[in-house]
Amino acid sequence: MTVTRIDLFRKLAASLKENPEQEAQWILAHVLGIDQHQLLSDFGAELSVAHQAECLRIQGERLAGKPLAYVLGESEFWGRKFKVSPAVLIPRPETEELVELALKYLANTGGVDVIIDVGTGSGVIAITLALESNTPKVYGLEISPEALVIARQNAALNVTEFLGKSTTLTFLESNLLEKLDTSDLGDQGVKRALIVANLPYVSTTEELPVSVIDFEPKLALFAESDGLALVERLLVEVQELASGLKSVNSPKALLPEETCIFLEIGYTQANRVVSTALKLGYGKTEIFQDLSGKDRFVLIKR
């Protein structure tokens, strides 16, 4: 019996629960190795038995609760495809908003000499900012070696877009800013820095959906102190390095005086983050809302 793309699309969409039609299209396009426009332009084409079997295998994993991005091994961010695995979080729409805010900041302020993405995970923030800005140096710092494998694979996946750009993208295994070679940055005349961070901000007592807690890496989700332990530690480290009070790697290890920070946080955490920043001596803070109208991002300036 002949089975066409639209036949299997209908079968998939009838069984899937979340965004069934969209997910059915993603599955078919992924298995066929084409984009969704190509899929829909020839929706009546016959499917091979092998393609049918692979679609149904993916359907089974999805019905068992595994997030589709992990089943497919990829996710879209800022119009590009990135590899994902259970070693990294699946990129969220809110994080695209964080990137958008960072790019607007760069455009409005004339840019910076270095961007540092702390807790880079799959590398989507660091790679996107490196490709979408003219920043000379971009760092992606990550404590998980398994996540760094994915980040480096994603950089390689987008390597052709780096051709002709003067940007240097470097991924480092680092606990927050611990391994950042800031002495090297100082030696090369870095005067302005932007730190972007989507760190774990979920409280250890908070309940999450099964699709998140059973599949996504807990290291990238949870933090002590009501979810803000790592965020507050980062604020301390930046202030110490930029003030010259502490060096992580060498006596010369300093962030530039003009360093600002963009954070993605939980929607109930903004006031505490602002209060902490002001107590640490930061000069200016600004809260931004996400598209749902929730306080999701904080800009902190020295």
Side-chain angles (χ1 to χ4, degrees):
M1 178 181 174
T2 298
V3 176
T4 66
R5 294 176 181 179
I6 196 167
D7 292 332
L8 196 53
F9 165 79
R10 288 169 176 161
K11 182 175 182 178
L12 292 171
S15 66
L16 298 169
K17 298 176 182 178
E18 298 178 23
N19 303 315
E21 293 188 355
Q22 182 65 76
E23 288 202 358
Q25 288 185 30
W26 284 336
I27 292 170
L28 278 163
H30 174 82
V31 169
L32 293 170
I34 59 178
D35 61 34
Q36 290 183 67
H37 175 73
Q38 292 171 307
L39 172 70
L40 297 175
S41 66
D42 196 9
F43 223 14
E46 185 177 349
L47 281 173
S48 71
V49 173
H51 284 152
Q52 293 176 50
E54 179 61 9
C55 285
L56 295 176
R57 183 195 67 78
I58 291 173
Q59 176 196 39
E61 287 199 62
R62 188 68 185 101
L63 292 176
K66 190 173 184 178
L68 184 61
Y70 289 152
V71 180
L72 302 183
E74 64 183 25
S75 183
E76 188 170 296
F77 187 88
W78 208 266
R80 298 181 179 92
K81 284 188 177 181
F82 290 90
K83 292 184 178 182
V84 294
S85 80
V88 299
L89 289 182
I90 298 168
R92 268 50 171 194
E94 292 85 357
T95 305
E96 288 192 325
E97 296 177 51
L98 175 66
V99 167
E100 184 177 9
L101 285 170
L103 289 172
K104 285 181 179 178
Y105 171 83
L106 294 171
N108 293 336
T109 59
V112 296
D113 302 304
V114 62
I115 296 172
I116 304 163
D117 173 25
V118 184
T120 196
S122 62
V124 295
I125 295 176
I127 293 167
T128 303
L129 291 176
L131 291 173
E132 300 294 333
S133 74
N134 293 315
T135 308
K137 284 180 172 286
V138 178
Y139 286 88
L141 310 183
E142 173 59 49
I143 193 172
S144 165
E146 293 81 12
L148 276 176
V149 170
I150 301 298
R152 290 179 174 128
Q153 288 177 350
N154 280 324
L157 193 64
N158 292 277
V159 68
T160 56
E161 288 198 64
F162 282 98
L163 297 177
K165 287 186 69 71
S166 58
T167 301
T168 300
L169 174 62
T170 305
F171 289 108
L172 296 174
E173 185 177 338
S174 180
N175 187 354
L176 298 181
L177 299 177
E178 183 180 28
K179 297 294 178 64
L180 179 66
D181 192 354
T182 43
S183 60
D184 179 59
L185 296 182
D187 291 343
Q188 297 195 28
V190 173
K191 296 180 179 178
R192 303 183 66 219
L194 172 64
I195 293 174
V196 182
N198 179 19
L199 292 168
Y201 58 71
V202 179
S203 168
T204 53
T205 60
E206 186 174 337
E207 293 186 4
L208 295 175
V210 172
S211 61
V212 175
I213 195 65
D214 281 2
F215 295 97
E216 302 207 47
K218 295 177 178 58
L219 180 67
L221 289 168
F222 296 105
E224 299 290 338
S225 190
D226 297 323
L228 286 173
L230 294 174
V231 168
E232 293 177 340
R233 201 173 112 209
L234 175 64
L235 294 180
V236 171
E237 286 191 11
V238 171
Q239 195 72 315
E240 289 178 338
L241 287 174
S243 302
L245 298 176
K246 177 184 177 182
S247 67
V248 176
N249 279 338
S250 78
K252 293 183 179 179
L254 297 173
L255 286 170
E257 177 66 25
E258 196 171 343
T259 297
C260 79
I261 308 165
F262 258 117
L263 298 171
E264 179 179 335
I265 56 171
Y267 68 90
T268 64
Q269 297 170 334
N271 289 336
R272 175 169 158 182
V273 170
V274 166
S275 176
T276 299
L278 295 176
K279 287 177 183 177
L280 289 170
Y282 286 91
K284 182 181 178 181
T285 64
E286 188 172 358
I287 298 170
F288 296 87
Q289 294 182 330
D290 62 21
L291 293 178
S292 299
K294 297 178 179 178
D295 293 341
R296 182 68 64 183
F297 314 102
V298 180
L299 172 62
I300 300 171
K301 297 181 180 180
R302 298 194 73 254

